[in-house]
Amino acid sequence: MCEAKNYWVQSMSDITAEGIASMSKDDTVNESNCLTNGKVSISVGEDKKSVILRFTAAIVKDTKYKVYVRCNDDNEFRSENAENYIFFAGK
């Protein structure tokens, strides 16, 4: 689950994906707009229950994002596998 291809970051305000976002506000999750290893490194937290995403771009203050996580190990992309998400804002 720690591969970048299993994660998407959607900007909730930008028309074009910028910074840490791999999707704009109007995009939908698909296999061509997932995060890439050039944008993020992903590791498991010391507690073995959390995942740490370290982005190469700055997280813009006050910008709201939605993070999608594909919870299935299938190599085949299925949009229903990416329905798990959380919201966060840059501080």
Side-chain angles (χ1 to χ4, degrees):
M1 174 109 112
C2 288
E3 292 183 60
K5 68 181 183 178
N6 290 329
Y7 295 83
W8 294 259
V9 175
Q10 181 176 28
S11 169
M12 301 309 295
S13 58
D14 294 327
I15 294 172
T16 303
E18 296 178 5
I20 67 165
S22 62
M23 298 167 38
S24 70
K25 68 177 188 168
D26 297 324
D27 287 337
T28 56
V29 171
N30 64 60
E31 66 183 330
S32 67
N33 63 7
C34 60
L35 289 174
T36 63
N37 290 329
K39 276 195 168 237
V40 68
S41 64
I42 302 168
S43 59
V44 176
E46 289 183 22
D47 62 2
K48 305 294 185 213
K49 295 179 183 179
S50 58
V51 177
I52 301 164
L53 284 77
R54 290 184 177 91
F55 295 95
T56 57
I59 298 173
V60 179
K61 184 177 179 179
D62 297 326
T63 298
K64 291 187 171 120
Y65 300 97
K66 192 175 191 180
V67 178
Y68 293 87
V69 180
R70 178 168 48 191
C71 293
N72 191 321
D73 290 333
D74 287 349
N75 289 330
E76 180 182 345
F77 177 82
R78 296 183 186 136
S79 61
E80 66 270 17
N81 294 343
E83 290 177 353
N84 295 309
Y85 58 85
I86 61 167
F87 288 99
F88 76 94
K91 294 187 178 195

Coordinates of all heavy atoms in Angstrom, one line a residue:
M1 N 0.8 -1.2 0.0 CA 0.0 0.0 0.0 C 0.9 1.3 0.0 O 0.4 2.3 -0.1 CB -0.9 0.0 1.2 CG -1.7 1.3 1.4 SD -3.4 1.1 1.1 CE -4.0 1.3 2.7
C2 N 2.1 1.1 0.2 CA 3.0 2.3 0.2 C 3.5 2.8 -1.1 O 4.4 3.6 -1.2 CB 4.1 2.1 1.2 SG 3.6 2.1 2.9
E3 N 3.0 2.3 -2.2 CA 3.4 2.7 -3.5 C 2.6 4.0 -3.9 O 1.4 4.1 -3.6 CB 3.1 1.7 -4.6 CG 4.0 0.4 -4.4 CD 3.7 -0.6 -5.5 OE1 3.9 -0.2 -6.7 OE2 3.3 -1.7 -5.2
A4 N 3.3 5.0 -4.5 CA 2.7 6.2 -4.8 C 1.4 6.0 -5.7 O 0.5 6.8 -5.6 CB 3.7 7.1 -5.5
K5 N 1.5 5.0 -6.6 CA 0.3 4.8 -7.5 C -1.0 4.4 -6.8 O -2.0 4.4 -7.4 CB 0.7 3.7 -8.5 CG 0.8 2.3 -7.9 CD 1.2 1.3 -8.9 CE 1.2 -0.1 -8.3 NZ 1.5 -1.1 -9.3
N6 N -0.9 4.2 -5.5 CA -2.2 4.0 -4.7 C -2.7 5.2 -4.0 O -3.7 5.1 -3.3 CB -1.9 2.9 -3.7 CG -1.7 1.5 -4.3 OD1 -2.2 1.2 -5.3 ND2 -0.8 0.7 -3.6
Y7 N -2.2 6.4 -4.3 CA -2.6 7.6 -3.7 C -2.9 8.7 -4.7 O -2.2 8.8 -5.7 CB -1.5 8.1 -2.7 CG -1.2 7.2 -1.6 CD1 -0.4 6.1 -1.7 CD2 -1.8 7.4 -0.3 CE1 -0.2 5.2 -0.7 CE2 -1.6 6.5 0.7 CZ -0.7 5.5 0.5 OH -0.5 4.6 1.6
W8 N -3.8 9.6 -4.3 CA -4.2 10.7 -5.1 C -4.4 11.9 -4.2 O -4.9 11.7 -3.1 CB -5.5 10.5 -5.9 CG -5.4 9.5 -7.0 CD1 -5.3 9.7 -8.3 CD2 -5.5 8.1 -6.8 NE1 -5.3 8.5 -9.0 CE2 -5.5 7.5 -8.1 CE3 -5.7 7.2 -5.7 CZ2 -5.5 6.1 -8.3 CZ3 -5.7 5.9 -5.9 CH2 -5.6 5.3 -7.2
V9 N -4.0 13.1 -4.6 CA -4.3 14.3 -3.8 C -5.0 15.2 -4.7 O -4.5 15.6 -5.8 CB -3.0 15.0 -3.3 CG1 -3.3 16.3 -2.6 CG2 -2.2 14.1 -2.3
Q10 N -6.2 15.6 -4.3 CA -7.1 16.5 -5.1 C -7.1 17.8 -4.5 O -7.5 18.0 -3.3 CB -8.5 15.9 -5.2 CG -9.4 16.7 -6.1 CD -10.8 16.1 -6.2 OE1 -11.2 15.3 -5.4 NE2 -11.4 16.4 -7.4
S11 N -6.8 18.9 -5.2 CA -7.0 20.3 -4.8 C -8.5 20.5 -4.8 O -9.2 20.2 -5.8 CB -6.3 21.3 -5.7 OG -6.7 22.6 -5.4
M12 N -9.1 21.1 -3.7 CA -10.5 21.4 -3.7 C -10.8 22.7 -4.3 O -12.0 23.1 -4.3 CB -11.0 21.3 -2.2 CG -10.7 19.9 -1.6 SD -11.3 18.5 -2.6 CE -13.1 18.8 -2.6
S13 N -9.8 23.5 -4.8 CA -10.1 24.8 -5.3 C -9.4 25.1 -6.7 O -9.9 25.9 -7.4 CB -9.6 25.9 -4.3 OG -8.3 25.7 -4.0
D14 N -8.3 24.4 -7.0 CA -7.6 24.7 -8.2 C -8.2 24.1 -9.4 O -8.6 22.9 -9.4 CB -6.1 24.3 -8.1 CG -5.4 25.1 -7.0 OD1 -5.7 26.3 -6.8 OD2 -4.5 24.5 -6.4
I15 N -8.2 24.8 -10.5 CA -8.7 24.3 -11.8 C -7.7 23.4 -12.5 O -8.0 22.5 -13.2 CB -9.1 25.5 -12.7 CG1 -10.3 26.3 -12.1 CG2 -9.4 25.0 -14.2 CD1 -10.6 27.5 -12.8
T16 N -6.4 23.7 -12.2 CA -5.3 22.9 -12.7 C -4.6 22.3 -11.5 O -4.3 23.1 -10.5 CB -4.3 23.7 -13.6 OG1 -5.1 24.3 -14.6 CG2 -3.2 22.8 -14.1
A17 N -4.2 21.0 -11.5 CA -3.5 20.4 -10.4 C -2.1 21.1 -10.3 O -1.4 21.2 -11.3 CB -3.4 18.9 -10.6
E18 N -1.8 21.6 -9.1 CA -0.5 22.3 -8.9 C 0.0 21.8 -7.5 O -0.7 21.3 -6.7 CB -0.7 23.8 -8.8 CG -1.2 24.3 -10.2 CD -1.4 25.8 -10.1 OE1 -1.1 26.5 -9.1 OE2 -1.9 26.4 -11.1
G19 N 1.3 22.0 -7.3 CA 2.0 21.7 -6.0 C 1.9 20.2 -5.7 O 2.2 19.4 -6.5
I20 N 1.3 19.9 -4.6 CA 1.2 18.5 -4.2 C 0.1 17.8 -4.8 O 0.0 16.6 -4.8 CB 1.1 18.4 -2.6 CG1 -0.2 18.9 -2.1 CG2 2.3 19.0 -1.9 CD1 -0.5 18.5 -0.7
A21 N -0.9 18.5 -5.4 CA -2.1 17.9 -6.0 C -1.7 17.2 -7.3 O -1.0 17.7 -8.1 CB -3.1 19.0 -6.2
S22 N -2.3 16.0 -7.4 CA -2.2 15.2 -8.7 C -3.5 15.4 -9.5 O -3.6 14.9 -10.6 CB -1.9 13.8 -8.4 OG -2.9 13.1 -7.6
M23 N -4.5 16.0 -8.8 CA -5.8 16.2 -9.5 C -6.4 17.6 -9.2 O -6.2 18.1 -8.1 CB -6.9 15.2 -8.9 CG -6.6 13.7 -9.1 SD -7.6 12.6 -8.1 CE -9.2 13.3 -8.1
S24 N -7.1 18.2 -10.2 CA -7.7 19.4 -9.9 C -9.1 19.2 -9.3 O -9.5 18.0 -9.1 CB -7.9 20.2 -11.3 OG -8.9 19.5 -12.0
K25 N -9.8 20.3 -9.0 CA -11.0 20.1 -8.3 C -12.1 19.4 -9.1 O -13.0 18.8 -8.5 CB -11.6 21.5 -7.8 CG -12.0 22.4 -9.0 CD -12.6 23.7 -8.4 CE -13.2 24.5 -9.6 NZ -14.0 25.6 -9.1
D26 N -12.0 19.4 -10.4 CA -13.0 18.8 -11.3 C -12.6 17.4 -11.8 O -13.3 16.8 -12.5 CB -13.3 19.7 -12.5 CG -13.9 21.0 -12.0 OD1 -14.7 21.0 -11.1 OD2 -13.6 22.1 -12.6
D27 N -11.4 16.9 -11.4 CA -10.9 15.6 -11.9 C -11.5 14.5 -11.1 O -12.0 14.7 -10.0 CB -9.4 15.5 -11.7 CG -8.6 16.3 -12.8 OD1 -9.2 16.6 -13.8 OD2 -7.4 16.6 -12.5
T28 N -11.5 13.3 -11.7 CA -11.9 12.1 -10.9 C -10.7 11.2 -10.9 O -9.8 11.3 -11.7 CB -13.1 11.4 -11.6 OG1 -12.8 11.1 -13.0 CG2 -14.4 12.3 -11.6
V29 N -10.7 10.3 -9.9 CA -9.6 9.4 -9.7 C -9.5 8.5 -10.9 O -10.5 7.9 -11.3 CB -9.8 8.6 -8.4 CG1 -8.8 7.5 -8.3 CG2 -9.8 9.5 -7.2
N30 N -8.3 8.3 -11.5 CA -8.0 7.3 -12.5 C -6.6 7.0 -12.4 O -5.8 7.6 -11.7 CB -8.5 7.7 -13.9 CG -7.7 8.9 -14.4 OD1 -6.5 8.9 -14.5 ND2 -8.4 10.0 -14.7
E31 N -6.2 5.9 -13.1 CA -4.8 5.5 -12.9 C -3.8 6.4 -13.6 O -2.6 6.3 -13.2 CB -4.6 4.0 -13.5 CG -4.8 3.9 -15.0 CD -4.7 2.4 -15.4 OE1 -3.9 1.7 -14.7 OE2 -5.3 2.1 -16.4
S32 N -4.2 7.3 -14.4 CA -3.2 8.2 -15.0 C -3.0 9.5 -14.2 O -2.0 10.2 -14.5 CB -3.7 8.6 -16.4 OG -4.8 9.4 -16.4
N33 N -3.7 9.7 -13.1 CA -3.5 10.9 -12.3 C -3.2 10.6 -10.8 O -3.4 11.4 -10.0 CB -4.7 11.9 -12.4 CG -6.0 11.4 -11.9 OD1 -6.1 10.3 -11.3 ND2 -7.0 12.2 -12.1
C34 N -2.6 9.4 -10.6 CA -2.2 9.1 -9.3 C -0.9 9.8 -9.0 O -0.2 10.4 -9.9 CB -2.0 7.6 -9.1 SG -0.8 6.9 -10.2
L35 N -0.5 9.8 -7.7 CA 0.8 10.4 -7.3 C 1.9 9.6 -7.9 O 1.8 8.4 -8.2 CB 1.0 10.5 -5.8 CG 0.1 11.5 -5.1 CD1 0.2 11.3 -3.6 CD2 0.4 12.9 -5.5
T36 N 3.1 10.3 -8.1 CA 4.2 9.6 -8.6 C 5.4 9.7 -7.6 O 5.3 10.5 -6.7 CB 4.7 10.2 -10.0 OG1 5.1 11.6 -9.7 CG2 3.6 10.2 -11.0
N37 N 6.3 8.8 -7.8 CA 7.5 8.8 -6.9 C 8.2 10.1 -6.9 O 8.9 10.5 -5.9 CB 8.4 7.6 -7.2 CG 7.8 6.3 -6.8 OD1 7.0 6.2 -5.9 ND2 8.1 5.3 -7.5
G38 N 8.1 10.9 -8.0 CA 8.8 12.2 -8.1 C 8.1 13.2 -7.2 O 8.7 14.2 -6.9
K39 N 6.8 13.0 -6.9 CA 6.0 14.0 -6.1 C 6.0 13.7 -4.6 O 5.8 14.5 -3.8 CB 4.6 14.0 -6.6 CG 4.3 14.9 -7.8 CD 2.8 15.1 -7.9 CE 2.6 16.2 -8.9 NZ 1.8 17.3 -8.4
V40 N 6.2 12.4 -4.3 CA 6.0 12.0 -2.9 C 6.8 10.8 -2.5 O 7.1 9.9 -3.4 CB 4.5 11.7 -2.6 CG1 4.0 10.5 -3.4 CG2 4.2 11.6 -1.2
S41 N 7.2 10.7 -1.3 CA 7.8 9.4 -0.8 C 6.9 9.0 0.3 O 6.3 9.8 1.1 CB 9.2 9.6 -0.3 OG 9.3 10.5 0.8
I42 N 6.6 7.7 0.4 CA 5.6 7.2 1.4 C 6.3 6.1 2.3 O 7.0 5.3 1.8 CB 4.5 6.6 0.6 CG1 3.8 7.7 -0.3 CG2 3.4 6.0 1.6 CD1 2.9 7.1 -1.3
S43 N 6.1 6.2 3.5 CA 6.6 5.2 4.5 C 5.6 4.9 5.5 O 4.6 5.7 5.7 CB 7.9 5.8 5.1 OG 7.6 7.0 5.8
V44 N 5.8 3.8 6.2 CA 4.9 3.4 7.3 C 5.4 4.0 8.6 O 6.6 4.0 8.8 CB 4.8 1.9 7.4 CG1 4.0 1.4 8.6 CG2 4.3 1.3 6.1
G45 N 4.5 4.6 9.4 CA 4.9 5.2 10.7 C 5.4 4.1 11.7 O 5.2 2.9 11.5
E46 N 6.1 4.6 12.7 CA 6.6 3.8 13.7 C 5.6 2.9 14.4 O 5.9 1.8 14.8 CB 7.4 4.6 14.7 CG 8.7 5.2 14.2 CD 9.4 5.9 15.3 OE1 9.2 5.7 16.5 OE2 10.2 6.8 14.9
D47 N 4.4 3.4 14.5 CA 3.3 2.7 15.1 C 2.7 1.5 14.3 O 1.9 0.8 14.7 CB 2.2 3.6 15.6 CG 1.5 4.3 14.4 OD1 1.9 4.1 13.2 OD2 0.6 5.1 14.6
K48 N 3.2 1.5 13.0 CA 2.8 0.5 12.0 C 1.3 0.6 11.7 O 0.7 -0.3 11.1 CB 3.0 -1.0 12.5 CG 4.5 -1.2 12.9 CD 5.4 -1.2 11.7 CE 6.8 -1.6 12.1 NZ 7.8 -0.9 11.4
K49 N 0.6 1.7 12.1 CA -0.8 1.9 11.8 C -1.0 3.2 11.0 O -2.1 3.5 10.5 CB -1.6 2.1 13.1 CG -1.6 0.8 13.9 CD -2.3 1.0 15.2 CE -2.3 -0.3 16.1 NZ -3.0 -0.1 17.3
S50 N 0.0 4.0 10.8 CA -0.1 5.2 10.1 C 0.8 5.2 8.8 O 1.8 4.5 8.8 CB 0.2 6.4 11.0 OG 1.6 6.3 11.5
V51 N 0.5 6.1 7.9 CA 1.3 6.2 6.7 C 1.8 7.7 6.6 O 1.0 8.6 6.8 CB 0.5 5.8 5.4 CG1 1.3 6.0 4.2 CG2 0.0 4.4 5.5
I52 N 3.0 7.9 6.3 CA 3.6 9.2 6.2 C 3.9 9.5 4.7 O 4.6 8.8 4.1 CB 4.9 9.3 7.0 CG1 4.6 9.0 8.5 CG2 5.5 10.7 6.9 CD1 5.8 8.7 9.3
L53 N 3.3 10.6 4.3 CA 3.6 11.1 2.9 C 4.4 12.4 3.0 O 4.1 13.3 3.7 CB 2.2 11.5 2.2 CG 1.4 10.3 1.7 CD1 0.7 9.7 2.8 CD2 0.4 10.8 0.6
R54 N 5.6 12.3 2.3 CA 6.5 13.5 2.3 C 6.5 14.0 0.8 O 7.0 13.3 0.0 CB 7.9 13.1 2.8 CG 8.0 12.8 4.2 CD 9.4 12.5 4.7 NE 9.4 12.3 6.1 CZ 9.3 11.1 6.7 NH1 9.1 10.0 6.0 NH2 9.3 11.0 8.0
F55 N 6.0 15.2 0.6 CA 5.9 15.7 -0.7 C 7.2 16.5 -1.1 O 7.8 17.2 -0.2 CB 4.7 16.6 -0.8 CG 3.4 15.9 -0.6 CD1 2.8 15.8 0.6 CD2 2.8 15.3 -1.7 CE1 1.6 15.1 0.8 CE2 1.6 14.6 -1.6 CZ 1.0 14.5 -0.3
T56 N 7.5 16.5 -2.4 CA 8.6 17.3 -2.9 C 8.2 18.8 -3.0 O 9.1 19.7 -3.0 CB 9.2 16.8 -4.2 OG1 8.1 16.7 -5.1 CG2 9.7 15.4 -4.0
A57 N 7.0 19.1 -3.2 CA 6.5 20.5 -3.3 C 5.9 20.9 -2.0 O 5.5 20.1 -1.1 CB 5.4 20.5 -4.4
A58 N 5.9 22.2 -1.8 CA 5.3 22.8 -0.6 C 3.8 22.6 -0.5 O 3.2 22.7 -1.6 CB 5.7 24.3 -0.4
I59 N 3.3 22.4 0.6 CA 1.8 22.4 0.8 C 1.4 23.8 1.0 O 1.8 24.5 2.0 CB 1.4 21.5 2.0 CG1 1.9 20.0 1.8 CG2 -0.1 21.6 2.3 CD1 1.7 19.1 2.9
V60 N 0.5 24.3 0.2 CA 0.1 25.7 0.2 C -0.8 26.0 1.4 O -1.8 25.3 1.6 CB -0.6 26.1 -1.1 CG1 -1.0 27.6 -1.1 CG2 0.4 25.8 -2.3
K61 N -0.5 27.0 2.1 CA -1.2 27.4 3.3 C -2.7 27.7 2.9 O -2.9 28.4 1.9 CB -0.6 28.6 4.0 CG -1.3 29.1 5.2 CD -0.6 30.2 5.9 CE -1.3 30.6 7.1 NZ -0.7 31.7 7.8
D62 N -3.6 27.2 3.7 CA -5.1 27.5 3.5 C -5.7 26.8 2.3 O -6.9 27.0 2.1 CB -5.4 29.0 3.5 CG -5.0 29.7 4.8 OD1 -5.2 29.0 5.9 OD2 -4.6 30.8 4.8
T63 N -4.9 26.1 1.6 CA -5.5 25.3 0.5 C -6.1 24.0 1.0 O -5.4 23.3 1.8 CB -4.4 25.0 -0.6 OG1 -3.9 26.2 -1.1 CG2 -5.0 24.2 -1.8
K64 N -7.3 23.7 0.6 CA -7.9 22.4 1.0 C -7.7 21.3 0.0 O -7.7 21.5 -1.2 CB -9.4 22.6 1.2 CG -9.6 23.6 2.4 CD -11.1 23.7 2.7 CE -11.2 24.4 4.0 NZ -11.9 25.6 4.0
Y65 N -7.4 20.1 0.5 CA -7.1 19.0 -0.3 C -7.9 17.8 0.1 O -8.4 17.7 1.3 CB -5.6 18.5 -0.2 CG -4.6 19.6 -0.6 CD1 -4.0 20.5 0.4 CD2 -4.2 19.7 -1.9 CE1 -3.1 21.4 0.0 CE2 -3.3 20.7 -2.3 CZ -2.8 21.5 -1.3 OH -1.8 22.5 -1.7
K66 N -8.0 16.8 -0.8 CA -8.7 15.6 -0.5 C -7.7 14.5 -0.9 O -7.2 14.5 -2.0 CB -10.0 15.5 -1.3 CG -10.9 14.4 -0.9 CD -12.2 14.5 -1.8 CE -13.3 13.6 -1.4 NZ -14.5 13.8 -2.2
V67 N -7.4 13.6 0.0 CA -6.5 12.5 -0.3 C -7.2 11.2 -0.4 O -8.0 10.8 0.5 CB -5.4 12.3 0.9 CG1 -4.5 11.1 0.6 CG2 -4.7 13.6 1.1
Y68 N -7.1 10.6 -1.6 CA -7.7 9.3 -1.8 C -6.6 8.2 -1.7 O -5.5 8.4 -2.1 CB -8.2 9.2 -3.3 CG -9.3 10.1 -3.6 CD1 -9.1 11.4 -4.0 CD2 -10.6 9.6 -3.6 CE1 -10.2 12.2 -4.4 CE2 -11.7 10.5 -3.9 CZ -11.5 11.8 -4.3 OH -12.5 12.6 -4.7
V69 N -7.1 7.0 -1.2 CA -6.2 5.9 -1.0 C -6.9 4.7 -1.6 O -8.0 4.3 -1.2 CB -5.9 5.6 0.5 CG1 -4.9 4.4 0.6 CG2 -5.3 6.9 1.1
R70 N -6.2 4.0 -2.5 CA -6.7 2.7 -3.0 C -6.3 1.7 -2.0 O -5.2 1.4 -1.7 CB -6.1 2.4 -4.4 CG -6.6 1.1 -4.9 CD -6.3 0.9 -6.4 NE -4.9 1.1 -6.7 CZ -4.5 1.2 -8.0 NH1 -5.3 1.0 -9.0 NH2 -3.2 1.5 -8.2
C71 N -7.3 1.0 -1.5 CA -7.1 0.0 -0.4 C -7.1 -1.4 -0.9 O -7.2 -2.4 -0.2 CB -8.2 0.1 0.6 SG -8.2 1.7 1.5
N72 N -6.9 -1.6 -2.2 CA -6.8 -2.9 -2.8 C -5.5 -3.1 -3.4 O -5.0 -2.2 -4.1 CB -8.0 -3.0 -3.8 CG -8.2 -4.4 -4.2 OD1 -7.3 -5.2 -4.4 ND2 -9.5 -4.8 -4.4
D73 N -4.9 -4.3 -3.3 CA -3.6 -4.6 -3.9 C -3.7 -5.0 -5.4 O -2.6 -5.4 -5.9 CB -2.9 -5.6 -3.1 CG -2.4 -5.1 -1.7 OD1 -2.2 -3.9 -1.6 OD2 -2.3 -5.9 -0.8
D74 N -4.9 -5.0 -6.0 CA -5.0 -5.4 -7.4 C -4.1 -4.5 -8.2 O -4.0 -3.3 -8.0 CB -6.4 -5.3 -7.9 CG -7.3 -6.4 -7.3 OD1 -6.8 -7.3 -6.7 OD2 -8.5 -6.2 -7.5
N75 N -3.5 -5.1 -9.2 CA -2.7 -4.3 -10.2 C -3.7 -3.6 -11.1 O -3.4 -2.5 -11.7 CB -1.8 -5.2 -11.0 CG -0.6 -5.7 -10.2 OD1 -0.2 -5.0 -9.2 ND2 -0.1 -6.9 -10.5
E76 N -4.9 -4.1 -11.3 CA -5.8 -3.5 -12.2 C -6.5 -2.4 -11.5 O -6.9 -2.5 -10.3 CB -6.9 -4.6 -12.6 CG -8.0 -4.1 -13.5 CD -9.0 -5.1 -13.8 OE1 -8.8 -6.3 -13.6 OE2 -10.1 -4.7 -14.3
F77 N -6.6 -1.2 -12.2 CA -7.3 -0.1 -11.5 C -8.8 -0.2 -11.6 O -9.4 -0.6 -12.6 CB -6.9 1.2 -12.3 CG -7.6 2.4 -11.7 CD1 -7.1 3.0 -10.5 CD2 -8.8 2.9 -12.2 CE1 -7.8 4.1 -9.9 CE2 -9.5 3.9 -11.6 CZ -9.0 4.5 -10.5
R78 N -9.4 0.0 -10.5 CA -10.9 0.1 -10.4 C -11.2 1.3 -9.6 O -10.8 1.4 -8.4 CB -11.4 -1.2 -9.8 CG -11.1 -2.4 -10.6 CD -11.8 -3.6 -9.9 NE -11.3 -4.8 -10.6 CZ -10.9 -5.9 -10.0 NH1 -10.9 -6.0 -8.7 NH2 -10.6 -7.0 -10.8
S79 N -12.1 2.1 -10.1 CA -12.4 3.4 -9.4 C -13.0 3.1 -8.0 O -12.8 3.9 -7.1 CB -13.3 4.3 -10.2 OG -14.5 3.6 -10.4
E80 N -13.7 2.0 -7.8 CA -14.4 1.8 -6.5 C -13.3 1.5 -5.5 O -13.6 1.6 -4.3 CB -15.4 0.7 -6.6 CG -14.9 -0.7 -6.9 CD -14.8 -1.0 -8.4 OE1 -14.9 -0.1 -9.2 OE2 -14.7 -2.2 -8.7
N81 N -12.1 1.1 -5.9 CA -11.0 0.9 -4.9 C -10.5 2.2 -4.3 O -9.7 2.2 -3.4 CB -9.9 0.1 -5.5 CG -10.3 -1.3 -5.9 OD1 -11.3 -1.8 -5.5 ND2 -9.6 -1.9 -6.8
A82 N -10.8 3.3 -4.9 CA -10.3 4.6 -4.4 C -11.3 5.5 -3.7 O -11.2 6.7 -3.7 CB -9.7 5.3 -5.6
E83 N -12.3 4.9 -3.2 CA -13.4 5.6 -2.5 C -13.0 6.0 -1.1 O -13.8 6.8 -0.5 CB -14.7 4.9 -2.5 CG -15.2 4.8 -4.0 CD -16.5 3.9 -4.0 OE1 -16.9 3.3 -3.0 OE2 -17.1 3.9 -5.1
N84 N -12.0 5.6 -0.5 CA -11.5 6.0 0.8 C -10.8 7.2 0.7 O -9.8 7.3 0.0 CB -10.7 4.9 1.5 CG -11.5 3.6 1.7 OD1 -12.6 3.7 2.2 ND2 -11.0 2.5 1.2
Y85 N -11.2 8.3 1.5 CA -10.5 9.5 1.4 C -10.5 10.3 2.7 O -11.3 10.0 3.6 CB -11.0 10.4 0.3 CG -12.5 10.7 0.4 CD1 -12.9 11.8 1.2 CD2 -13.4 9.9 -0.2 CE1 -14.3 12.0 1.3 CE2 -14.8 10.2 -0.1 CZ -15.2 11.2 0.6 OH -16.5 11.5 0.8
I86 N -9.6 11.3 2.9 CA -9.7 12.2 4.0 C -9.5 13.6 3.4 O -8.9 13.8 2.3 CB -8.6 11.9 5.0 CG1 -7.2 12.0 4.4 CG2 -8.8 10.5 5.7 CD1 -6.1 12.0 5.4
F87 N -9.9 14.6 4.2 CA -9.7 16.0 3.8 C -8.6 16.6 4.7 O -8.5 16.2 5.9 CB -10.9 16.8 4.0 CG -12.0 16.6 3.1 CD1 -13.1 15.8 3.4 CD2 -12.0 17.2 1.8 CE1 -14.1 15.5 2.5 CE2 -13.0 17.0 0.9 CZ -14.1 16.1 1.2
F88 N -7.8 17.5 4.2 CA -6.9 18.3 5.0 C -6.6 19.6 4.4 O -6.9 19.8 3.2 CB -5.6 17.5 5.3 CG -4.6 17.4 4.2 CD1 -3.6 18.4 4.1 CD2 -4.7 16.5 3.2 CE1 -2.7 18.3 3.0 CE2 -3.8 16.4 2.1 CZ -2.8 17.3 2.1
A89 N -6.1 20.5 5.2 CA -5.7 21.9 4.7 C -4.3 22.2 5.1 O -3.8 21.8 6.1 CB -6.7 22.9 5.3
G90 N -3.6 23.0 4.2 CA -2.3 23.4 4.4 C -2.3 24.4 5.6 O -3.2 25.2 5.7
K91 N -1.3 24.3 6.5 CA -1.2 25.3 7.6 C 0.1 26.1 7.5 O 1.1 25.7 7.0 CB -1.3 24.5 8.9 CG -2.6 23.9 9.1 CD -2.7 23.2 10.5 CE -4.1 22.7 10.6 NZ -4.5 22.3 11.9

